[in-house]
Amino acid sequence: MRKKMLIAAATALLILAVAGFLFWQSMFAPLYTPGMVRAGKNLRAPLDPPKQPSDGSYWQVESDIRLFFTTQGEGRPILVVHGGPGYPVHGPLAGLDSLTSTYKLFFYAQRGCGKSTRPFDHFSSKNFYSNMKDLERTLGIGAQVADIERIRRILGQEKLILMGHSFGGFLATMYAAEFREHVEALVLVAPAGVLVLPDEGGRFFEEIRKRLPSDRHAEYDQFIKDYLDFGSIFSKSEAELAAMNRRVGEYFLLASGRAGEVAGPKVPDDNGGWMVQALYFSMGKQHDYRPALKAIPARALIILGEDDVAPTRGGSMYADCLPNAKLHIMKNGRTRGGHFSFSEQPAEFARIVADFLK
């Protein structure tokens, strides 16, 4: 009897040890690595999209996932991948108006935000690891990259022109790393500096704090502590997480000196909740995606703002890694601007992009 109890105790300890290792590993190791989507790993559905709905405002990318989209202009398609993460584009962008006689721009809301499908509200399970895997597989980097490939097939294009802003620039680049034969050109506007984590240079949240008024520091510090507390993440709801992500956006605009200027007194309220956390889990705390960029043959234009809150070092890393990249620094913009060059300096932005696409 005693022997059986010892065996049972040892087995329980082993299970706890394995669970603990998996939890520790998941918090540090990336759940996404370039090449996974192409190999069909960790996908919920095939890359061939299902039958498309008659409603011309949505793409059906999986049987239970629809992406809302709008268009601007006529001509060769350009797929615009929005940033945030989780902030869809609202309305035409001033800096792209001059392109609309030659190109048709497609703006879509990534899964998990805007009017696109939000697969999760609450998680009823208490199993952190299982929840995390389900969340990441459904809304993480791999799922977002797979959607770009499905959109390409829906549009019937052999090659895409991709324009990505902020975190959307990172997603567009990951797509190009996986499906390089299907990318004609990349336009990366202030691409997110997340190619390497942890970043040895300027850190995003720390840079925001530096630019906030000193009387907001204590409030901001407490918020970031709560925001990055992943231990209790699965007790929250989509609405709660979307509200927290929105506060990050509000702090960002305040640090940019543009609160109330780009998006009214606060950021739009249709941003994503769970999708942002899924992307964090995809990246883990340690990764280096730079080697995957070196095999991308497509021409690339990287546009950075001279005084962007997001450190330009992270954006310039794309130019260092992409073999056929051109880097352009937007100067003399608005004070404490630079992240939204398409609206800060629309004429200059339009000229640079048009010249590149020619």
Side-chain angles (χ1 to χ4, degrees), residues 324-346:
N324 296 304
K326 176 182 178 182
L327 176 63
H328 186 94
I329 306 291
M330 299 283 281
K331 298 181 181 292
N332 302 319
R334 300 180 182 183
T335 302
R336 293 211 167 186
H339 197 69
F340 305 92
S341 54
F342 42 79
S343 60
E344 293 161 349
Q345 296 174 270

Side-chain angles (χ1 to χ4, degrees), residues 219-239:
E219 160 205 328
Y220 177 75
D221 291 344
Q222 184 58 54
F223 168 73
I224 292 299
K225 181 180 177 182
D226 296 339
Y227 182 69
L228 297 178
D229 177 15
F230 284 91
S232 60
I233 190 73
F234 291 109
S235 65
K236 295 180 172 65
S237 68
E238 168 71 16

Side-chain angles (χ1 to χ4, degrees), residues 196-254:
V196 181
L197 289 180
D199 184 10
E200 307 87 2
R203 290 175 170 81
F204 178 70
F205 293 120
E206 292 173 9
E207 190 63 29
I208 290 177
R209 187 184 192 276
K210 276 195 245 179
R211 299 195 183 205
L212 290 175
S214 58
D215 61 353
R216 301 291 296 270
H217 283 177
E219 160 205 328
Y220 177 75
D221 291 344
Q222 184 58 54
F223 168 73
I224 292 299
K225 181 180 177 182
D226 296 339
Y227 182 69
L228 297 178
D229 177 15
F230 284 91
S232 60
I233 190 73
F234 291 109
S235 65
K236 295 180 172 65
S237 68
E238 168 71 16
E240 289 173 308
L241 289 170
M244 295 184 78
N245 295 331
R246 201 151 51 244
R247 279 192 69 184
V248 174
E250 289 165 357
Y251 281 123
F252 182 85
L253 287 182
L254 181 60

Side-chain angles (χ1 to χ4, degrees), residues 102-121:
T102 310
Y103 299 96
K104 184 173 185 177
L105 291 91
F106 288 84
F107 304 91
Y108 75 102
Q110 293 154 24
R111 59 169 68 198
C113 69
K115 295 180 182 179
S116 294
T117 302
R118 301 182 186 225
F120 302 105
D121 185 15

